[in-house]
Amino acid sequence: MVHISVISNNKGGVGKTELTVQLAAALARAGANVLVVDMDPQANATRRLGVEWDPAEPIPTMAEVIRADQVGAGQGAVIACGWRTAEGAPTAEAENIDVLPSRFDLINRETEAGVVGAVRRLTKALEGWIEDYDVVLIDTRPDLGHLVQMALAAAHTVIIPTDPNYDSVEAAIRVSDFVERHAVDMANPNLRIGGVVITRRKTTTEQDYQVDGIREQFGDLVWNLGGVVKLSDGSDHLNPPYLPEWSRFAEADAAAVSLGAWNDRNGRKTVALYDAVARIFRTRLLEAKGAAA
Ligand SMILES: Nc1ncnc2c1ncn2[C@@H]1O[C@H](COP(=O)(O)OP(=O)(O)OP(=O)(O)O)[C@@H](O)[C@H]1O
Ligand SMILES: [Mg+2]
């Protein structure tokens, strides 16, 4: 059964889109069929998945899908991930990733929040055709407004990425509290926090302190990526328990490619980390008994 996760934090720049895109890639490497839904008018996930908006050849996006307010409306806007090999063919990861793209005018849907049933528009748009996917990942804006609420209404779980900075941790807690208080209001009483991922970790004393705070606050919900793994070149490597602040992540985002695009040691290290994220996603959310309730 398909599992739908929202990636959310009430703070900008914590790595929500990074996690959405590179987790999609890692799940795809492991053979899962993944749909990424871009519910952010910034459309960063859309671009990083290699989907370009061309005014000369406009394609339907989530702005139109949500406006349609119809069961199954998303199906008509699905597009394949645009990652390509040097020869111009879709990469192996891209073969397993579809995208519901976004564009800046998705913001216009915010004003429709008061319309009856508006919070269920994304749920409706995904109804009846997403069962062929194993996983749906929904990227969101750094707020808890209407576009994010539509995503929360449509999901089984929320994954909260947070960097270990005071304001980001507070914002992560706000997401968790919001879900607890308003899941019923969003017509989704079974919605739960599926995990907390520590991102952009630098080794400073202040961040050590914040990491302790995150573990104290979220306990077992914090995904521990650490452990010895085999890299694709056969060597042993020790993953840190979190996603560190490494330039390679930002480079992949800027270049709109998967971390797997680099065949060097740094590339293999970043791939190993995201493979660990995907492994935890599968064990905790896909294989756990009753996970996709
Ligand atoms: N682990 C990391 N190491 C280094 N840079 C990172 C890491 N994760 C993300 N970044 C970079 O930090 C910036 C913010 O990341 P990203 O856009 O994924 O955050 P976001 O939470 O989606 O932001 P927004 O709230 O604007 O949607 C990007 O330039 C991204 O490439
Ligand atoms: Mg983002």
Side-chain angles (χ1 to χ4, degrees):
M1 185 176 175
V2 61
H3 187 91
I4 308 175
S5 288
V6 172
I7 320 301
S8 169
N9 191 326
N10 192 192
K11 177 81 173 71
V14 297
K16 293 180 291 299
T17 307
E18 221 274 333
L19 181 67
T20 307
V21 169
Q22 298 302 342
L23 173 57
L27 289 165
R29 279 196 293 279
N33 278 319
V34 185
L35 173 68
V36 175
V37 182
D38 193 347
M39 281 298 278
D40 184 349
Q42 296 183 92
N44 296 149
T46 302
R47 186 195 65 80
R48 292 181 198 175
L49 286 161
V51 178
E52 291 286 342
W53 170 261
D54 178 0
E57 279 181 63
I59 51 169
T61 66
M62 289 313 291
E64 291 76 43
V65 167
I66 297 298
R67 189 175 57 203
D69 190 20
Q70 275 170 13
V71 171
Q75 194 167 17
V78 172
I79 187 164
C81 172
W83 290 339
R84 294 285 178 271
T85 63
E87 293 74 38
T91 65
E93 292 154 348
E95 302 264 16
N96 286 356
I97 303 174
D98 282 340
V99 188
L100 273 176
S102 171
R103 112 181 242 268
F104 67 90
D105 56 359
L106 177 58
I107 195 67
N108 294 331
R109 303 286 81 80
E110 278 279 343
T111 57
E112 296 161 1
V115 176
V116 73
V119 79
R120 289 196 68 254
R121 282 188 182 192
L122 177 59
T123 315
K124 268 161 84 177
L126 298 178
E127 226 172 275
W129 62 276
I130 58 163
E131 289 300 320
D132 288 345
Y133 294 99
D134 301 298
V135 177
V136 177
L137 299 177
I138 311 176
D139 191 26
T140 59
R141 314 169 71 197
D143 62 29
L144 291 165
H146 179 52
L147 290 171
V148 181
Q149 289 175 31
M150 277 192 279
L152 294 173
H156 300 113
T157 56
V158 184
I159 302 171
I160 308 177
T162 185
D163 57 40
N165 291 308
Y166 191 95
D167 289 337
S168 308
V169 179
E170 288 265 286
I173 295 169
R174 278 200 298 283
V175 171
S176 173
D177 289 350
F178 189 85
V179 168
E180 195 176 314
R181 285 199 200 121
H182 295 296
V184 171
D185 300 327
M186 293 181 293
N188 194 6
N190 294 328
L191 182 66
R192 62 191 172 86
I193 306 300
V196 173
V197 180
I198 298 173
T199 57
R200 311 198 63 177
R201 168 89 155 98
K202 297 176 195 141
T203 42
T204 63
T205 315
E206 167 59 17
Q207 291 213 344
D208 292 348
Y209 176 74
Q210 294 299 338
V211 165
D212 287 347
I214 294 168
R215 297 217 168 98
E216 225 164 83
Q217 176 71 33
F218 291 104
D220 189 43
L221 282 175
V222 181
W223 289 2
N224 181 355
L225 317 182
V228 177
V229 290
K230 275 237 179 299
L231 298 185
S232 57
D233 63 5
S235 64
D236 285 331
H237 171 69
L238 181 64
N239 268 348
Y242 42 74
L243 294 170
E245 177 83 11
W246 280 347
S247 54
R248 183 52 62 83
F249 291 115
E251 284 161 25
D253 292 338
V257 296
S258 154
L259 294 162
W262 280 276
N263 193 19
D264 60 7
R265 188 158 174 87
N266 282 343
R268 287 189 273 273
K269 276 161 62 178
T270 53
V271 163
L273 267 169
Y274 264 97
D275 285 348
V277 178
R279 240 180 349 261
I280 298 173
F281 184 97
R282 294 174 78 95
T283 8
R284 290 219 187 181
L285 306 185
L286 296 191
E287 290 156 21
K289 212 171 139 214

